[in-house]
Amino acid sequence: MELIVVGAGPGDPELITLKAINALKRADAILYDNLANKVLLDYKKEGCELVYVGKTPYQKYNSQEEIHALIKEYADKCEVVVRLKGGDPFVFGRGMEEIMFAKSYGMKTSYIPGITSMLAIGLSDIPLTHRGISEGFWVITGTKKDGSLSRDIELALQSKTTLVIYMGMKNLPFIVEEAIKYGKPNTPAAVIQNASLPNMKMAKGTIVELEALSKEHGITHPAIIVIGDVVNLEGI
Ligand code: SAH
């Protein structure tokens, strides 16, 4: 019994690795969640069991414990279990928790990286770094375990680098408030939903405009917030 934790990429089914596809083809069971594109399940071999462990953010979903129980259940009866996760499993994906759980049961484990969703904002001509404009990027969650804002957002806002926020839509008003507090109301910012997919939506403007623009464009989860001068390169 083996658990392979696999990154599905940001959404576009072509943005998955060859290694991931080969793992999907070998799997006796695939445990997948919301953000992984369902089209990828077509790589399954005959007889492979598909198990939806749907995690819908901010709502009641299978708890991590329930997912662990499913991993154990399928590992007991299958040779190869693939855990398919949106983006990269180790970027806000709890992939390591599942690997640690599997190891505690003596399972063999492996990890296949995926293209994390923030890289797909490049498809809208927003790079994370750009010579002379941004020397780096901070990647922070917009919702901590207890629902509050990470203090690292405050620190990042005081730097000149690009700030990328995952899972930030619920706290968007507070993120905007912080950005204004740290003197950055007019910094370019964007919110991108369903990056890399045909139903992609984007709102682009300055920090102070971000909430209104997001509403106007009907942007909801899953979206990435990006703050910094790189957002505006197109206009330069
Ligand atoms: N492991 C995933 C992240 C899971 S956390 C990854 O590497 O991408 C869930 C968050 O990911 C969402 O709240 C959103 O911020 C982001 N996200 C995932 N897919 C996205 C997409 N296609 N477009 C925009 N944001 C996305």
Side-chain angles (χ1 to χ4, degrees):
M1 47 192 197
E2 177 184 3
L3 175 73
I4 314 178
V5 176
V6 175
D12 178 343
E14 288 191 300
L15 291 176
I16 189 170
T17 64
L18 191 52
K19 199 166 186 122
I21 291 173
N22 288 335
L24 290 171
K25 286 179 177 168
R26 277 206 308 132
D28 300 304
I30 302 172
L31 277 56
Y32 65 100
D33 52 39
N34 268 12
L35 288 171
N37 195 325
K38 314 288 167 288
V39 168
L40 297 170
L41 301 174
D42 291 345
Y43 287 113
K44 69 175 194 298
K45 69 178 181 191
E46 223 185 286
C48 169
E49 281 193 69
L50 300 177
V51 189
Y52 177 64
V53 296
K55 273 199 166 192
T56 309
Y58 314 131
Q59 284 170 31
K60 252 189 160 300
Y61 49 71
N62 271 336
S63 70
Q64 196 63 36
E65 288 66 36
E66 283 168 319
I67 293 173
H68 289 175
L70 282 169
I71 289 174
K72 186 174 178 310
E73 183 187 327
Y74 282 90
D76 283 344
K77 56 181 183 185
C78 301
E79 218 32 63
V80 179
V81 179
V82 160
R83 177 68 173 99
L84 185 66
K85 285 170 162 287
D88 179 83
F90 287 175
V91 178
F92 306 123
R94 307 187 72 168
M96 195 58 198
E97 287 175 47
E98 297 179 11
I99 285 185
M100 283 158 71
F101 170 82
K103 278 190 198 294
S104 76
Y105 272 94
M107 289 178 215
K108 189 180 157 209
T109 63
S110 54
Y111 153 74
I112 299 177
I115 296 181
T116 188
S117 46
M118 71 173 177
L119 297 177
I121 65 179
L123 300 170
S124 303
D125 286 340
I126 301 175
L128 294 175
T129 66
H130 189 78
R131 207 150 62 106
I133 300 279
S134 170
E135 291 160 7
F137 49 91
W138 293 60
V139 186
I140 304 174
T141 175
T143 314
K144 284 203 309 186
K145 209 168 160 186
D146 63 5
S148 68
L149 266 197
S150 163
R151 204 178 96 73
D152 286 332
I153 290 185
E154 184 182 317
L155 297 174
L157 285 165
Q158 293 170 69
S159 80
K160 283 187 65 192
T161 60
T162 309
L163 170 56
V164 179
I165 302 174
Y166 282 67
M167 292 176 281
M169 288 314 281
K170 208 174 153 199
N171 277 333
L172 185 62
F174 304 110
I175 293 165
V176 168
E177 207 173 283
E178 289 281 285
I180 293 171
K181 192 159 109 201
Y182 290 99
K184 291 208 173 174
N186 297 316
T187 301
V191 179
I192 300 130
Q193 182 183 357
N194 296 325
S196 85
L197 287 163
N199 56 350
M200 187 278 265
K201 287 185 193 167
M202 176 165 71
K204 214 159 111 169
T206 60
I207 290 257
V208 275
E209 301 165 338
L210 214 51
E211 260 187 278
L213 285 174
S214 302
K215 281 207 185 94
E216 198 180 296
H217 289 81
I219 295 181
T220 55
H221 178 89
I224 296 250
I225 302 165
V226 52
I227 298 175
D229 290 326
V230 286
V231 170
N232 230 1
L233 276 176
E234 243 188 357
I236 284 175

